[in-house]
């Protein structure tokens, strides 16, 4: 439009492009702030015993070997090896799909609880990150954090899964490329015709 001398159209187009870009940046910044807030919320405080005193720290700051206290209403902040329990039960539906709370125990008698091939729902001496304490209390030693937890391994498996496009998505992509090419061709033709019209007027 500028080359053709249509300065009003060129100014309006530039204004629209600038406004669209500014709006996009604003929405992107809001989305980043929302994600940051959600990330902070997803790391609940954990009651940990350090240097003989109980303190609350973000779950993301736990390290293997920390001793964590669990009470009713708490979310387990990391994978734990239970060392003390009192009628402790946890909701492991997020991991196993089982809606009934699982009874936990620090008793090490069931040797299969230490077997890595034992189903998660039967590992009574372990508490897993992301599960909720529904009854009782207990304490455990952190054995895994972040992606080293059971729920972290599940998240890693999901991230590594490659989604394949459906036939409809492939057709839509092809149609999009076709329409984009057609639009560019039409714009080029209109531009050439406008240049030709300008030349004829002169």
């Amino acid at each position: 439009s500028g080359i053709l001398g249509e300065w009003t159209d060129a100014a309006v187009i530039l204004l629209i492009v600038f406004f669209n870009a500014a709006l996009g940046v604003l929405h992107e910044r809001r989305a980043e702030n929302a994600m940051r807030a959600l990330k902070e919320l997803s790391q609940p405080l954990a009651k940990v015993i350090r240097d003989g005193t109980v303190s609350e720290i973000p779950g993301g700051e736990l390290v293997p070997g920390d001793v964590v206290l669990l009470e009713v209403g708490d979310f387990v902040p990391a994978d734990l090896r239970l060392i003390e329990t009192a009628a402790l039960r946890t909701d492991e539906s997020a991991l196993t799909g089982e809606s009934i709370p699982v009874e936990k125990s620090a008793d090490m008698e069931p040797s299969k609880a230490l077997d890595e091939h034992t189903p998660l729902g039967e590992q009574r001496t372990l508490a897993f990150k992301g599960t909720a304490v529904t009854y009782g209390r207990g304490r455990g030693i952190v054995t895994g954090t972040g992606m080293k937890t059971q729920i972290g391994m599940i998240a890693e498996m999901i991230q590594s899964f490659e989604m394949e496009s459906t036939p409809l998505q492939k057709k839509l992509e092809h149609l999009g490329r076709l329409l984009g090419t057609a639009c560019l061709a039409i714009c080029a033709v209109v531009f050439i015709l406008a240049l030709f019209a300008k030349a004829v007027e002169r």
Side-chain angles (χ1 to χ4, degrees):
S1 294
I3 293 174
L4 296 176
E6 298 173 356
W7 300 111
T8 302
D9 290 349
V12 171
I13 292 171
L14 284 175
L15 183 62
I16 292 173
V17 170
F18 176 78
F19 178 76
N20 187 47
L23 197 61
V25 170
L26 179 62
H27 282 296
E28 185 78 15
R29 185 166 298 173
R30 285 182 177 177
E32 289 177 357
N33 291 337
M35 288 298 295
R36 190 178 299 112
L38 285 174
K39 189 174 181 181
E40 291 176 357
L41 287 175
S42 66
Q43 292 189 1
L45 294 177
K47 302 181 189 72
V48 60
I49 300 176
R50 287 182 176 175
D51 299 326
T53 59
V54 178
S55 58
E56 290 190 346
I57 64 172
E61 295 181 8
L62 290 173
V63 295
D66 279 336
V67 176
V68 176
L69 301 179
L70 299 175
E71 296 176 350
V72 176
D74 290 346
F75 281 93
V76 181
D79 282 4
L80 307 175
R81 169 76 62 192
L82 297 171
I83 58 176
E84 180 184 319
T85 58
L88 181 65
R89 294 179 185 175
T90 61
D91 178 5
E92 297 183 348
S93 57
L95 290 174
T96 64
E98 180 60 54
S99 59
I100 301 175
V102 179
E103 186 175 351
K104 296 293 182 176
S105 173
D107 185 6
M108 300 300 289
E109 277 186 16
S111 58
K112 68 176 183 178
L114 303 177
D115 187 355
E116 61 179 3
H117 300 295
T118 303
L120 293 181
E122 297 180 13
Q123 297 188 23
R124 308 294 185 179
T125 59
L126 302 179
F128 304 105
K129 179 179 180 179
T131 60
V133 178
T134 61
Y135 194 81
R137 59 182 176 80
R139 67 175 63 188
I141 299 175
V142 176
T143 58
T145 60
M147 299 304 285
K148 299 297 184 182
T149 61
Q150 291 295 330
I151 199 167
M153 293 177 186
I154 294 174
E156 190 174 9
M157 289 172 59
I158 293 174
Q159 291 175 358
S160 62
F161 179 74
E162 295 183 2
M163 293 290 292
E164 292 186 1
S165 299
T166 63
L168 177 60
Q169 288 175 323
K170 292 178 180 178
K171 289 182 179 179
L172 288 175
E173 289 175 3
H174 176 71
L175 179 62
R177 287 193 296 267
L178 185 64
L179 290 176
T181 303
C183 287
L184 289 175
I186 292 172
C187 289
V189 171
V190 171
F191 180 70
I192 293 172
L193 291 176
L195 286 177
F196 181 73
K198 289 283 185 180
V200 171
E201 288 178 3
R202 295 176 184 174

